Amino acid sequence: MSSTGRLVIVSNRVGDPRKASAGGLAVALGDALAKSGGLWFGWSGKVVDDGAPGEGEVHHQRSGTVELVTIDLSKADHDTYYAGYSNQALWPAFHYRLDLADFASGFFAGYQRVNRLFARKLAVLLRPDDVIWVHDYHLIPLADELRALGCRQRIGFFLHIPLPPPPILAAIPGHKWLMRSFFAYDLVGLQTRSDADHFARFVQEEAGARALGEGRFEALGRQVVARAYPIGIDVEEFQRLASSNDSRQTEAMLKKQYSHRRLLVGIDRLDYSKGLPQRFRAFRELLANYPENLNSATLIQIASPTRESVQAYEELRRELEGLAGEINGDYGELDWLPIRYLHRVWARRRLPALYRASRVALVTPLRDGMNLVAKEYVAMQVEADPGVLVLSRFAGAAEQMPEALLVNPYDIPATTQAIQRALSMSLVERQERHSALLAQIREHDVHDWSRTFLDALSAIETRPPEAIASLVLQRAAPVSDGKPDLIT
Ligand code: ADQ
């Protein structure tokens, strides 16, 4: 980072980058924070049953040179901001599932209240030359709230999930708050070029923004730059994990246990965006249409529990259990079950073993911001005998990974054919595809991603204070009737 200022990361959850369980993202952000003696701010994960809405105790902790500041949430705030607006309105809408979105006004008021709470507690900790990087859909309005408190620092935002095209965004009731929120940032990072294209169309069509070139837009008296910064993985972290004793033992155990079988693997959070029922159906067709896979092809599907209080997730769990039971009942033998479905988190340190033991990975989301499992699987393959990635064209990763077998997960027969092709692909073709994919993953790893984003943020000209003031003036009164339509 060229700026001398301290880096401040804000995200819904705060990861301790020095913990062994920390994932690649926490480690990469931790590295960037450590370089500037930075601060990481977010929710503590604690819900206070009788806490007052819009209030929360703040905790300070150190992790090396990095300060971790977290805040508790009252139950009312958690249920409206987190479980409510973030995960029952924005998450489905941004994954093109307006049918599942609940735009209850109480949810929006809670979302706004918690963003305001975060801004209030953070603003007093900020220094004038800090550079602030806000993460993900939980905190889209945070910069606007900080600006309203007079914060003039550079503020960047990265959206980890997809940004849908304008007709979907425009269906979000009172969506104009979104526009104002984006224009309070200096830099908005998106996962893919098509997400960046959706952003460009949305701000031009809905706010009459002027495109100034190279991703810069002007509207509401401000300018914002919006570009694609596709996230990567920490390849070295995975190589280290793969060489641990635990990982080697798990890999040897899997290879021995499945020596007469061909393993396929799926690793996901149990989320409706991940296309799991469609994947199970395609696998069932594989057994029905290509009998050589009977008593052989075995799909290990790890689906970790997530957002269990939300009804759509509970329904999905039941659907998957039913499908796995049917497929195992119809095709299984005394000594072979076609689907091993595990409803739990698989320890990160054991992921490499599962990736390496599997001939094929099924990464077939209906919609996904990036999907890091696709990249982790490729990074963990042995170059002499690599496995094949079957990847949904609707995962952000598909833009960077054209050498995978790309599928439309809604087209079950075509997905089945792609799986069969993956299982029977020649060694030469597997190696060619794998080396092209691996080169890309190595070059654009998570460290490259955070460096590139932060360099771009530091290089952006700071706004003249009048421009910020004018944005603040355009803020409407707080939501009073529960309707989040704030500007026009
Ligand atoms: P997620 O939707 O959680 O993340 P993904 O990128 O697939 O999706 O996974 C993130 C991490 O979680 C990976 O390191 C993966 O190995 C791990 N993981 C997933 N399921 C697991 C399981 N069952 N057990 C153990 N580990 C598991 C969001 C967006 C994505 C985007 C990421 C990063 O939804 O589109 O790629 O952020 O920006």
Side-chain angles (χ1 to χ4, degrees), residues 4-161:
T4 50
R6 184 178 64 155
L7 175 62
V8 175
I9 304 263
V10 193
S11 55
N12 178 55
R13 292 304 305 275
V14 172
D16 184 340
R18 298 209 304 183
K19 278 204 176 141
S21 58
L25 178 61
V27 172
L29 295 179
D31 283 356
L33 283 167
K35 275 185 205 144
S36 69
L39 186 156
W40 195 340
F41 184 95
W43 173 34
S44 63
K46 186 171 170 199
V47 178
V48 182
D49 278 342
D50 53 357
E55 292 300 332
E57 192 183 337
V58 175
H59 310 273
H60 292 257
Q61 229 183 304
R62 285 210 83 81
S63 172
T65 57
V66 180
E67 194 178 351
L68 307 176
V69 182
T70 56
I71 178 164
D72 301 340
L73 288 182
S74 70
K75 182 155 180 357
D77 283 348
H78 168 268
D79 292 356
T80 49
Y81 147 81
Y82 178 73
Y85 202 74
S86 296
N87 286 321
Q88 292 183 74
L90 292 181
W91 175 272
F94 279 31
H95 285 85
Y96 298 58
R97 292 298 304 270
L98 286 169
D99 58 314
L100 294 177
D102 181 348
F103 296 112
S105 54
F107 286 172
F108 185 78
Y111 181 71
Q112 204 184 30
R113 191 168 61 234
V114 171
N115 272 274
R116 208 160 275 169
L117 168 68
F118 270 39
R120 228 174 53 233
K121 300 290 183 187
L122 178 63
V124 293
L125 304 173
L126 292 177
R127 302 174 189 159
D129 64 344
D130 282 346
V131 172
I132 304 163
W133 189 5
V134 179
H135 286 259
D136 232 358
Y137 58 103
H138 316 86
L139 299 171
I140 297 173
L142 189 71
D144 189 40
E145 296 297 346
L146 287 168
R147 300 287 185 220
L149 297 173
C151 298
R152 302 272 191 269
Q153 290 85 347
R154 284 197 178 91
I155 314 183
F157 176 77
F158 186 77
L159 184 67
H160 289 259
I161 64 175

Side-chain angles (χ1 to χ4, degrees), residues 95-97 278 364-367 392 394 407-413 415:
H95 285 85
Y96 298 58
R97 292 298 304 270
Q278 290 81 353
T364 54
L366 304 178
R367 199 56 68 174
S392 164
F394 303 126
V407 296
N408 167 6
Y410 293 96
D411 186 343
I412 290 177
T415 306

Side-chain angles (χ1 to χ4, degrees), residues 254-255 258-259 261-266 286 293 296-300 352-362 377-378 380-390 405 418-431 434:
L254 285 167
K255 284 188 168 156
Y258 293 98
S259 59
R261 317 275 186 227
R262 292 195 294 176
L263 274 191
L264 300 95
V265 69
L286 182 86
N293 292 307
S296 172
T298 306
L299 170 60
I300 299 187
L354 202 44
Y355 290 142
R356 285 206 168 153
S358 304
R359 166 59 67 216
V360 173
L362 301 182
Y377 177 74
V378 170
M380 282 297 91
Q381 296 309 295
V382 177
E383 290 176 42
D385 187 19
V388 181
L389 172 65
V390 175
L405 288 187
I419 300 173
Q420 176 64 9
R421 188 170 163 211
L423 284 167
S424 44
M425 190 178 283
S426 72
L427 176 62
V428 174
E429 187 178 349
R430 282 190 276 131
Q431 284 176 324
H434 175 254

Side-chain angles (χ1 to χ4, degrees), residues 302-464:
I302 317 272
S304 52
T306 179
R307 304 170 198 167
E308 288 182 299
S309 61
V310 179
Q311 197 192 345
Y313 289 78
E314 177 55 27
E315 284 167 12
L316 174 67
R317 186 167 76 89
R318 278 203 300 272
E319 183 181 4
L320 273 186
E321 283 169 2
L323 273 170
E326 264 173 41
I327 296 168
N328 284 340
D330 288 348
Y331 293 96
E333 300 287 346
L334 276 181
D335 61 349
W336 170 68
L337 285 180
I339 297 190
R340 297 271 169 172
Y341 167 67
L342 306 184
H343 181 229
R344 73 180 71 129
V345 180
W346 184 263
R348 193 166 178 81
R349 64 179 195 286
R350 293 183 147 189
L351 282 172
L354 202 44
Y355 290 142
R356 285 206 168 153
S358 304
R359 166 59 67 216
V360 173
L362 301 182
V363 179
T364 54
L366 304 178
R367 199 56 68 174
D368 218 328
M370 178 54 63
N371 197 301
L372 297 180
V373 170
K375 296 188 173 185
E376 292 166 0
Y377 177 74
V378 170
M380 282 297 91
Q381 296 309 295
V382 177
E383 290 176 42
D385 187 19
V388 181
L389 172 65
V390 175
L391 177 63
S392 164
R393 54 176 292 188
F394 303 126
E399 227 177 56
Q400 295 175 293
M401 303 179 84
E403 297 84 2
L405 288 187
L406 295 184
V407 296
N408 167 6
Y410 293 96
D411 186 343
I412 290 177
T415 306
T416 304
Q417 279 171 21
I419 300 173
Q420 176 64 9
R421 188 170 163 211
L423 284 167
S424 44
M425 190 178 283
S426 72
L427 176 62
V428 174
E429 187 178 349
R430 282 190 276 131
Q431 284 176 324
E432 277 172 9
R433 288 175 182 270
H434 175 254
S435 67
L437 289 168
L438 187 62
Q440 215 282 343
I441 289 168
R442 278 190 202 282
E443 190 181 340
H444 299 291
D445 70 357
V446 72
H447 301 285
D448 175 66
W449 166 78
S450 75
R451 218 173 18 243
T452 312
F453 184 92
L454 288 171
D455 283 349
L457 181 56
S458 300
I460 280 176
E461 281 171 49
T462 324
R463 303 274 146 266

